Amino acid sequence: MSDLSLFGEAGPPAPPPGDAAAAPATDPSAPLAERMRPRTLDEIVGQQHLAGPEGTLRRLMAAGHLPNLILHGPPGSGKTTLARVIATDSGASFVPFNAVSEGVPRLREVVKEAEARRRAGRRTLLFIDEIHRLNKGQQDFLLPWIESGLMTLVGATTEHPGFEINPAVLSRSTVLVLETLTEDDLRTLLRRALADAQRGLGGAGVSMDEEAEDVLVRNTGGDARQALTGAEIAARLVGPGGRITVREAREALQQPTARYDTSLMYEMLSAFHKSLRASSGSGALYWAMRMIQSGEDAKTVFRRLTAAAYEDVGLADPQAGIVCVNAMLAFERLGLPEGLLPLYNAILYVANAPKSNRAYLAGGAASQAAKEHASAPVPLALRNPTTSLMKEWGFGEGYKYAHDYEGGYVPLQTLPDVIQDARFYEPTDRGYELKIAARMRERGDPG
């Protein structure tokens, strides 16, 4: 890296006594994942869009200035590692803050310490893991200090920043998104740990079968910490000089755990809904079961399924919504696992039903018209003349009772004068909407 620090200071000063070290632990008793934590951008595996030669973070660091950052990504993707690398590279004091157990009193201490460092010509990097756990008051307390540049904030979160973080903090920060590590990334980390004699397992002469590596890579959900922890436990099971087989790898992991959090829930719900819209029953079933097997309440899946039935199937098959509601009721009465049967049926029904979003679009268009013409008067013909005075005013004049006419239909202005010719609904030529369109043509009424 350049001699120019991230904060515009030449030559990063040594961290003062008592400051938290930014470098990973080298204590052999520390967990393997901590010992193998990358210390430079070049050591980071994955996240090439951030740490690679043309990565956003590398370019920001090379420019000599770093904004406040929110690092958003799944567990084990390298958020804490990136924060430590930034502090090490800049020579800033790395100050961790526990968003769960520490509060404003500790933040006041952090501010005083940062002011003392600034007087001594040093900078402070405040790292807040799980920053989404800070309450509004704690987040508001940070604002003047991160805005003034007294501290550089690096917050890490697995939750969607737009949902969980104060907009004022977000507006003063740059959000960097970390991706789930790939299987190849995890293989690289495992092999590096096995080969490293100083920080990893190489000193113990432990080796690993390729099949065992597959178990660790495919059952840890892209989480580097889980994969390395599994390797460390397996290494203890085989002892120095031993060889890790599938048996030890599986024993080390016990019950594989897939990543699942609020952010991923929304991603899977989106994939589920889009699969239904694309008439992919297989895709919809897969994402539904991924969510349920991850512990998601089946009611969440049913709600999205029912919404899709009314949004994307609509009047092309009016039975779709009814099928979903009945399936939800059946699920509540049957419970698991039998209750999954009506869910399967409803998913496949909605996925394979003819599609139309015209009712959805009609509702949106009507809603917009209602906002734009919120004061338009009700046509006189549609007003009930409940008193003699109302009759004198013309209430009900010109109203025609549909049942008095052949076919139960008679033309009638039902919209305010200002939008009397507006038509919000245009049926498709699919499914039941074919019949609706035919009836509308017979009436000479397009909607």
Side-chain angles (χ1 to χ4, degrees), residues 239-290:
R243 187 168 187 83
I244 299 172
T245 68
V246 168
R247 176 183 175 183
E248 288 80 30
R250 287 177 175 164
E251 190 174 352
L253 291 181
Q254 291 294 318
Q255 180 64 42
T257 55
R259 171 207 163 203
Y260 192 74
D261 51 40
T262 302
S263 179
L264 188 56
M265 178 195 74
Y266 286 117
E267 292 175 9
M268 288 190 183
L269 276 175
S270 176
F272 174 60
H273 194 150
K274 288 180 172 65
S275 298
L276 292 167
R277 183 179 294 148
S279 299
S280 172
S282 296
L285 284 170
Y286 170 79
W287 292 115
M289 296 316 298
R290 273 282 300 273

Side-chain angles (χ1 to χ4, degrees), residues 303-327:
R303 281 194 294 268
R304 181 55 66 96
L305 175 63
T306 305
Y310 285 102
E311 177 182 342
D312 296 298
V313 176
L315 293 175
D317 185 350
Q319 288 296 316
I322 298 172
V323 167
C324 292
V325 172
N326 285 338

